[in-house]
Amino acid sequence: MAGVTTRHVKDDETGMRLDRWFKAHFPDLAFGHLQKLLRTGQVRVDGARARAETRIEPGQVIRIPPMQKPELLEAPRDGIREAGPKGGDTRISAPKGEATARPVSSRKMADDLEFLKSIILYEDRDMMVLNKPHGLAVQGGSGTTRHVDGLLEVMRDKDGQKPRLVHRLDKDTAGCLIIAKTRLAASTLAATFRSRAARKIYWALCSGVPRVKQGRISTWLAKGEDEYGDQKMKVARHGDEGADHALTYYAVVETAGQKLSWLSLKPVTGRMHQLRVHAAEIGHPIIGDPKYFNRENWELPGGIQQKLHLLARRIVIPHPRENKMVDVSAPLPPHMQQSWNLLGFDTSSYDPIEDAPEK
């Protein structure tokens, strides 16, 4: 891009986060580079400084500064597909005057597509629900090269549209992740999450057993840092800078003596690490949580792995176009299934959190 340009926000981009807008329009722009452009005020919305999480509205004008040309492309966009040596690789030739992309293995693309298809729990022409595995990041970041957003490049349709993320799960949280297959579906689903019309249920294995079997956890949360300088959410007070209200309902499903409990959790709000912080706040942190579980003088029962035991078990959400509800459940990931087997927990048990309030 030779100089500063501007673009108007379209009607079907209502409520989209600014970073998601850039990802849709400039898929090869590194997230870190976008953050730098935002920090230095080079990206503006209606002439004002903006942040990655800024929500945009139709008619707004986005200032786009000159950006470095992408050197690497993960998937073809405007380039020409060429056969690599012996047909083994696919090389994307950039349009004239732009950098040439590195070869992309056709086998890798096929493997990525096969993997994504293997974790689809629900799909129609507007949306998908993936069973995100434990340990797979949703988006890229420092040192993260494999993530759901990148894998979705292999699912671009004939018009070049790539499926879009509409919400996130922590890297080590497994379970239901909704993906929009069109821009309109993405806008509608994102608005549904903001309006809290999506119903989410999580399962967790926690230390100890709450005295109150069904309860409500209401706090204010703000971003902070741990002793190593890594980002960590902290319980704050109303009125503290950057503090947002967070509300979670919980219910005890089963217990293993007084050592462990299976909690069903229903978050009303969607704050970063909300369930993990709330579980720790009531004195029953989630097993395997490296940030919010102080494991000093606490040993895991034999056979239980030191991995985060948190599953986005079920999501119920209005369909973005049809007059129906999409209701999808995810199975326990392998490490949680192992723990459930060891503890004798029955996944067919009645889930008392289903009767919890929606607000």
Side-chain angles (χ1 to χ4, degrees), residues 21 23 25 30 91 120 145 155 172 183 188-189 206 221 265 269 286 298 306-307 319-320 322 325:
W21 185 90
K23 186 67 177 175
H25 289 271
R91 180 180 296 275
I120 293 175
T145 57
M155 283 191 162
D172 290 334
R183 184 172 293 167
T188 303
L189 289 167
C206 296
L221 298 179
L265 304 152
T269 53
I286 299 173
W298 200 93
Q306 190 61 265
K307 294 181 178 179
H319 191 274
E322 301 175 18
M325 299 296 288

Coordinates of all heavy atoms in Angstrom, one line a residue, residues 21 23 25 30 91 120 145 155 172 183 188-189 206 221 265 269 286 298 306-307 319-320 322 325:
W21 N -11.9 -6.8 11.9 CA -12.1 -6.1 10.6 C -10.8 -6.1 9.8 O -10.8 -6.4 8.6 CB -12.6 -4.7 10.9 CG -12.9 -3.9 9.6 CD1 -14.1 -3.9 9.0 CD2 -12.0 -3.1 8.8 NE1 -14.1 -3.1 7.9 CE2 -12.8 -2.6 7.7 CE3 -10.7 -2.8 8.9 CZ2 -12.2 -1.8 6.8 CZ3 -10.1 -2.0 7.9 CH2 -10.9 -1.5 6.9
K23 N -8.4 -8.2 10.2 CA -8.1 -9.6 9.8 C -8.9 -10.0 8.6 O -8.4 -10.8 7.7 CB -8.4 -10.5 11.0 CG -8.0 -12.0 10.8 CD -6.5 -12.1 10.7 CE -6.1 -13.6 10.6 NZ -4.6 -13.8 10.4
H25 N -10.0 -8.0 6.2 CA -9.6 -7.2 5.0 C -8.2 -7.4 4.7 O -7.8 -7.2 3.5 CB -10.0 -5.7 5.2 CG -11.4 -5.4 5.2 ND1 -12.1 -5.1 4.0 CD2 -12.4 -5.4 6.2 CE1 -13.4 -4.9 4.3 NE2 -13.6 -5.1 5.6
A30 N 0.2 -9.1 10.3 CA 0.5 -9.7 11.6 C -0.2 -9.0 12.7 O -0.2 -7.7 12.7 CB 2.0 -9.8 11.8
R91 N 2.8 -23.3 -4.7 CA 3.4 -22.1 -4.5 C 2.5 -21.0 -4.9 O 1.8 -21.0 -6.0 CB 4.7 -21.9 -5.4 CG 5.4 -20.6 -5.2 CD 6.7 -20.6 -6.1 NE 7.6 -21.6 -5.7 CZ 8.5 -21.4 -4.7 NH1 8.6 -20.3 -4.0 NH2 9.4 -22.3 -4.4
I120 N -15.6 -31.1 13.7 CA -16.8 -30.4 13.6 C -18.0 -31.1 14.3 O -18.2 -32.3 14.1 CB -17.2 -30.3 12.1 CG1 -16.2 -29.3 11.4 CG2 -18.6 -29.7 11.9 CD1 -16.4 -29.2 9.9
T145 N 2.2 -20.6 16.4 CA 2.2 -20.7 15.0 C 1.0 -21.5 14.5 O 0.6 -21.4 13.3 CB 3.5 -21.3 14.4 OG1 3.7 -22.6 15.1 CG2 4.7 -20.4 14.7
M155 N -10.3 -23.3 4.5 CA -11.7 -23.4 4.3 C -12.3 -22.2 3.6 O -13.5 -22.0 3.6 CB -12.4 -23.6 5.6 CG -12.3 -25.0 6.2 SD -13.5 -25.2 7.6 CE -13.6 -27.0 7.7
D172 N -6.0 -23.6 26.6 CA -6.1 -24.9 27.3 C -7.6 -25.3 27.7 O -7.8 -26.3 28.4 CB -5.2 -24.9 28.5 CG -3.8 -25.0 28.2 OD1 -3.5 -25.5 27.1 OD2 -2.9 -24.5 28.9
R183 N -19.8 -13.4 6.3 CA -19.6 -12.1 7.1 C -20.9 -11.7 7.8 O -20.9 -11.2 8.9 CB -19.2 -11.0 6.1 CG -18.9 -9.7 6.7 CD -18.4 -8.7 5.8 NE -17.0 -9.1 5.3 CZ -16.4 -8.6 4.3 NH1 -16.9 -7.7 3.6 NH2 -15.2 -9.1 4.0
T188 N -24.0 -11.2 12.9 CA -25.2 -11.5 13.7 C -24.8 -12.3 15.0 O -25.3 -12.1 16.1 CB -26.2 -12.4 12.9 OG1 -26.5 -11.7 11.7 CG2 -27.4 -12.7 13.6
L189 N -23.9 -13.3 14.8 CA -23.5 -14.1 16.0 C -22.7 -13.3 17.0 O -22.9 -13.4 18.2 CB -22.7 -15.3 15.5 CG -23.4 -16.4 14.8 CD1 -22.5 -17.3 14.1 CD2 -24.3 -17.1 15.7
C206 N -12.6 -29.4 40.1 CA -12.0 -28.4 41.0 C -11.5 -29.0 42.3 O -11.9 -30.1 42.7 CB -13.1 -27.4 41.3 SG -13.7 -26.4 39.9
L221 N -13.6 -7.7 37.7 CA -12.3 -8.2 37.2 C -11.6 -7.2 36.4 O -12.1 -6.4 35.6 CB -12.5 -9.5 36.4 CG -13.2 -10.7 37.0 CD1 -13.3 -11.8 36.0 CD2 -12.4 -11.1 38.3
L265 N -20.7 -24.9 35.3 CA -20.6 -23.4 35.4 C -21.4 -22.8 34.3 O -21.3 -23.2 33.1 CB -19.2 -23.0 35.4 CG -18.2 -23.6 36.4 CD1 -16.8 -23.7 35.9 CD2 -18.3 -22.8 37.7
T269 N -21.6 -13.3 32.0 CA -20.8 -12.4 31.3 C -19.6 -13.2 30.7 O -19.5 -14.4 30.9 CB -20.2 -11.3 32.2 OG1 -19.6 -12.0 33.4 CG2 -21.3 -10.4 32.8
I286 N -9.6 -24.6 39.6 CA -9.7 -25.7 38.6 C -8.4 -26.4 38.5 O -7.3 -25.9 38.5 CB -10.1 -25.1 37.2 CG1 -11.5 -24.4 37.3 CG2 -10.2 -26.2 36.2 CD1 -11.9 -23.7 36.1
W298 N -0.1 -29.3 47.6 CA -1.3 -29.9 47.2 C -0.9 -30.9 46.1 O -0.3 -30.5 45.1 CB -2.4 -28.9 46.6 CG -3.8 -29.4 46.6 CD1 -4.7 -29.3 47.5 CD2 -4.4 -30.2 45.5 NE1 -5.9 -29.9 47.2 CE2 -5.7 -30.5 45.9 CE3 -4.0 -30.7 44.3 CZ2 -6.6 -31.2 45.1 CZ3 -4.8 -31.4 43.5 CH2 -6.1 -31.6 43.9
Q306 N -1.8 -33.2 34.9 CA -1.7 -31.8 35.3 C -2.0 -30.9 34.1 O -1.1 -30.2 33.5 CB -0.2 -31.5 35.8 CG 0.0 -30.1 36.4 CD -0.9 -29.9 37.6 OE1 -2.0 -29.3 37.5 NE2 -0.4 -30.3 38.8
K307 N -3.2 -31.0 33.7 CA -3.7 -30.2 32.5 C -5.0 -29.5 33.0 O -5.7 -30.0 33.8 CB -4.0 -31.1 31.3 CG -2.8 -31.7 30.7 CD -3.2 -32.5 29.5 CE -2.0 -33.1 28.8 NZ -2.4 -34.0 27.6
H319 N -29.9 -19.3 15.8 CA -29.3 -19.4 14.5 C -29.2 -18.0 13.9 O -30.1 -17.2 14.0 CB -30.1 -20.4 13.6 CG -29.3 -20.7 12.3 ND1 -29.4 -19.9 11.2 CD2 -28.5 -21.8 12.0 CE1 -28.6 -20.5 10.2 NE2 -28.1 -21.6 10.7
P320 N -28.1 -17.7 13.2 CA -28.0 -16.3 12.6 C -28.9 -15.9 11.5 O -29.1 -14.8 11.3 CB -26.5 -16.3 12.1 CG -26.2 -17.7 11.8 CD -26.9 -18.5 12.9
E322 N -31.8 -18.5 10.4 CA -33.1 -19.3 10.5 C -33.7 -19.1 11.9 O -33.1 -18.8 12.9 CB -32.8 -20.8 10.2 CG -32.2 -21.0 8.9 CD -31.8 -22.5 8.7 OE1 -32.3 -23.3 9.4 OE2 -31.0 -22.8 7.8
M325 N -33.0 -22.6 17.2 CA -31.9 -22.6 18.2 C -30.9 -23.7 17.8 O -31.3 -24.8 17.4 CB -32.4 -22.8 19.6 CG -33.3 -21.8 20.1 SD -32.6 -20.1 20.2 CE -31.5 -20.3 21.6

